[in-house]
Amino acid sequence: MRSAGGRGEIKVRRELQSSECQGLPTVQGQGRRRGTHKDVFGSKMASSLYGVLFAVGLCAPIYCVSPVNAPSRYPHPSSTESTPASLVYSLNTDFAFRLYRRLVLETPSQNVFFSPVSVSTSLAMLSLGAHSVTKTQILESLGFNLTHTPESDVYRGFQHLVHSLTVPSKDLALKMRSALFVKKELQLQANFLGNVKRLYEAEVFSTDFSNPSIAQAKINSHVKKKTQGKVVDIIQGLDLLTAMVLVNHIFFKAKWEKPFYPAYTRKNFPFLVGKQVTVHVPMMHQKEQFAFGMDTELNCFVLQMDYKGDAAAFFVLPSKGKMRQLEQALSARTLRKWSHSLQKRWIEVFIPKFSISASYNLETILPKMGIQNAFDKNADFSGITKRDSLQLSKATHKAVLDVSEEGTEAAAATATKFIVRSKDGPSYFTVSFNRTFLIMITNKATDSILFLGKVENPTKS
């Protein structure tokens, strides 16, 4: 698998007091919010309205990683104890499936792939600078009941998540980072700046947006470098109205615990797209012991394949005509049920070798999930900057996924295990992912879904 790199971007657009504002209404004399308070800096100039662009992209490979050793700084919370971290992990999973269902509606009969943890982390970071209804809508869309959950617990939980996903491992490359690109003239609130650095370990870069093409190149270069070239050109169309961009990127790279042997990959295997169309794909193949089971309630097969390190991939194959039933039932509870009920057994498995990517304009999707004020004139991001009003103008997510048998240890390790079994050897079940299936990449330590998708057509990259 290649990379799935995620990131969130906040693009802040300034509403110029000019007739050349591209159709935007002129806003006179704005203070802290919509002209009801005086400018805290005492400026005689009318405050300006900014729009905020939020973009997310991601990258996840499944092959060899360079060994890195470092002790974990944070203990993993017990699955039975209720902590801010465990609450965030559980709610993130439900948010992942809610967003998945929305993306399926927006892009029917297409491949779906995204990093829910990157999107939720970016929204949580954005909420640090939001006030009133804007903050409430963001946090409630993530699943938090603010009547029962203190806001401080939300941020402590995400802080733990960010730290847990950035601890180096000798077997797994998993890096999630955030960056703020801020217009030189934009004066950020000290509290917001301190929190994004402390809670999210975010980097902050002073950026000259007077030349949009240079600023855009700087941001795209940063993300490309951090995702090892997997996510490119995530930012497009910056203009003179841009004042701030927030980026969250996630990179995952790992080796299969039981890798495929390339010599056994079948080069031209039929894969059913929809009900009648057949395409041909390279199909990886092996016989091994994997955690596997049949969910009779949801009419699907579930295969868990572990990576070296604290990560696993779930491949879910519903019975024909049962995909919609499966999609509607997906929840944190469903995933926990699978994790606890799958049993190790001999499996002959066929999985496509494929590469897919997906891009989404989340500004059309997040309002349907309850985040509405952030995208209109009622937005209150005065926690980011009091001098200028901010409004979320765009939310972009880009994801890339490669699944393959590659890895420096793959050939040797698998060649010794892939043997012809005698007739009296162990019996095995054959499962072929030769039609639409779901894929989830999870972090075991946090029970978090790093990447989630549906493969409709593995030949469509």
Side-chain angles (χ1 to χ4, degrees), residues 371-406:
I371 304 177
Q372 298 167 338
N373 280 29
F375 291 93
D376 62 30
K377 60 183 177 60
N378 295 313
D380 183 354
F381 289 107
S382 53
I384 297 178
T385 175
K386 285 190 175 182
R387 186 172 185 177
D388 303 289
S389 295
L390 306 181
Q391 178 180 321
L392 194 60
S393 63
K394 187 171 176 59
T396 303
H397 185 85
K398 186 173 184 178
V400 180
L401 170 69
D402 294 320
V403 177
S404 74
E405 69 283 89
E406 294 178 11

Side-chain angles (χ1 to χ4, degrees), residues 164-310:
S164 297
L165 297 184
T166 54
V167 174
S169 165
K170 66 178 181 179
D171 293 316
L172 181 70
L174 176 58
K175 300 176 183 178
M176 186 166 74
R177 288 286 187 267
S178 298
L180 277 174
F181 296 85
V182 182
K183 186 175 183 177
K184 293 179 179 180
E185 299 81 5
L186 193 65
Q187 300 183 38
L188 299 184
Q189 294 274 56
N191 191 50
F192 173 76
L193 195 58
N195 281 332
V196 297
K197 289 181 177 180
R198 178 176 59 87
L199 299 175
Y200 296 92
E201 302 178 8
E203 298 177 277
V204 179
F205 301 98
S206 179
T207 305
D208 182 5
F209 286 105
S210 64
N211 190 324
S213 60
I214 293 178
Q216 179 173 298
K218 176 181 179 180
I219 297 170
N220 285 336
S221 175
H222 174 84
V223 174
K224 182 179 179 180
K225 179 181 177 181
K226 294 295 184 179
T227 61
Q228 298 190 16
K230 304 305 179 184
V231 176
V232 297
D233 297 331
I234 183 72
I235 305 295
Q236 297 184 23
L238 287 189
D239 52 35
L240 290 173
L241 303 179
T242 304
M244 184 173 74
V245 173
L246 182 152
V247 174
N248 174 271
H249 48 81
I250 182 171
F251 180 81
F252 170 86
K253 186 175 181 178
K255 295 181 293 185
W256 292 116
E257 189 175 87
K258 297 176 179 178
F260 294 88
Y261 187 39
Y264 288 90
T265 296
R266 303 189 180 185
K267 305 300 182 184
N268 202 25
F269 201 94
F271 185 99
L272 182 63
V273 178
K275 295 181 179 180
Q276 296 180 327
V277 178
T278 298
V279 297
H280 289 85
V281 299
M283 187 70 79
M284 302 184 298
H285 174 219
Q286 70 167 301
K287 298 173 185 175
E288 251 302 347
Q289 279 189 310
F290 293 112
F292 180 79
M294 169 71 179
D295 188 327
T296 55
E297 181 183 354
L298 298 180
N299 293 292
C300 64
F301 291 112
V302 183
L303 170 68
Q304 178 182 333
M305 293 184 61
D306 292 334
Y307 302 112
K308 291 187 176 182
D310 247 351

Side-chain angles (χ1 to χ4, degrees), residues 2 18 35 45 48 61 94 104 117 127 139 172 207 295 311 357 383 405 410 420 439:
R2 189 172 68 193
S18 163
M45 295 179 61
S48 303
D94 282 328
V104 169
V117 73
S127 73
L139 294 180
L172 181 70
T207 305
D295 188 327
S357 62
E405 69 283 89
V420 177
I439 180 172

